[in-house]
Amino acid sequence: MTRPVLAVVCTLLLATAGLGAGAAPGAAAAPPAELTQQDFDRTQFGITVYANGSARWTFTFRRTLENASEEEAFRDYAAEFETNETQLYTGFVADAEALTAEGTNVTGREMAATAFRRSAEVDEGVSSTDAPEGIVRMSFRWTNFARVDGDRVVVGDVFEGGLYIGASQSLVVRPGPALDFRSVAPRPTRRATRLRSPTATR
């Protein structure tokens, strides 16, 4: 049986629905009672694409915690984030719904943002010299994200108009369990192969 393949064609140009926002260089740390996307040091946009054309988008935000008081404050924030709908999460939901609505307009495929998830934690690192990080993850399922053409699943038409990727951000595309990469354009910054699950990073 022929194994489906994944083709990725991304034009990364312009900010879309506010999701390309990154931390301003040298920006002062905001109180952890309420954080915005700009209050994190690094952001990864992860896209896992499945054979039926749907994809799970996962946004991972990382913030270095400079001392014990910042670490304690972020733990409090993480508990609040996972229990209640903070502005960061409600903004993420609104942006995801705007993205899928625009995707429907661009491609003509009926799209929706569903199955939202969120989590937050403190990562203390693997050694005593590592600075702890506050991590927030938010994700949703994007139905009909990719175009399915026979045994090909093609990602690209939703990016018409562009998606801005800043210096402290990365875009990672992963094939789901029933897919293998066939092609990626433009050439990714890095490609990691791991047991039938290569990852393209832009």
Side-chain angles (χ1 to χ4, degrees):
M1 182 175 66
T2 302
R3 184 177 179 83
V5 295
L6 174 64
V8 180
V9 182
C10 297
T11 302
L12 307 175
L13 297 173
L14 306 173
T16 301
L19 295 179
E34 183 58 68
L35 298 175
T36 68
Q37 293 184 22
Q38 287 76 20
D39 295 316
F40 290 87
D41 305 322
R42 296 182 306 286
T43 304
Q44 182 187 94
F45 308 115
I47 307 173
T48 301
V49 184
Y50 298 96
N52 65 358
S54 69
R56 175 153 291 276
W57 279 56
T58 302
F59 289 42
T60 303
F61 301 96
R62 294 179 177 269
R63 171 186 172 95
T64 301
L65 305 174
E66 301 292 348
N67 51 51
S69 61
E70 284 194 11
E71 184 175 345
E72 180 180 358
F74 194 91
R75 291 187 190 279
D76 291 340
Y77 173 79
E80 172 70 15
F81 178 82
E82 293 186 344
T83 303
N84 299 306
E85 294 193 351
T86 64
Q87 292 181 14
L88 180 63
Y89 177 69
T90 57
F92 172 78
V93 172
D95 285 346
E97 291 173 344
L99 270 177
T100 54
E102 180 62 21
T104 297
N105 292 336
V106 169
T107 67
R109 295 192 302 276
E110 189 65 32
M111 299 178 176
T114 64
F116 287 89
R117 300 174 185 168
R118 68 185 188 271
S119 65
E121 63 179 337
V122 172
D123 182 357
E124 296 182 349
V126 296
S127 73
S128 59
T129 59
D130 292 337
E133 290 185 322
I135 303 175
V136 168
R137 294 184 179 88
M138 298 180 289
S139 71
F140 69 98
R141 183 172 62 236
W142 186 327
T143 59
N144 287 324
F145 169 73
R147 177 170 56 86
V148 179
D149 182 12
D151 67 346
R152 288 169 54 86
V153 180
V154 183
V155 173
D157 55 2
V158 297
F159 292 111
E160 290 185 14
L163 177 67
Y164 175 78
I165 303 297
S168 62
Q169 301 170 335
S170 61
L171 175 67
V172 178
V173 180
R174 300 180 178 91
L179 291 175
D180 287 325
F181 275 118
R182 169 66 59 82
S183 61
V184 179
R187 183 182 298 274
T189 304
R190 186 175 75 249
R191 178 168 177 165
T193 303
R194 184 183 60 190
L195 190 61
R196 295 173 63 184
S197 183
T199 296
T201 304
R202 177 67 180 176

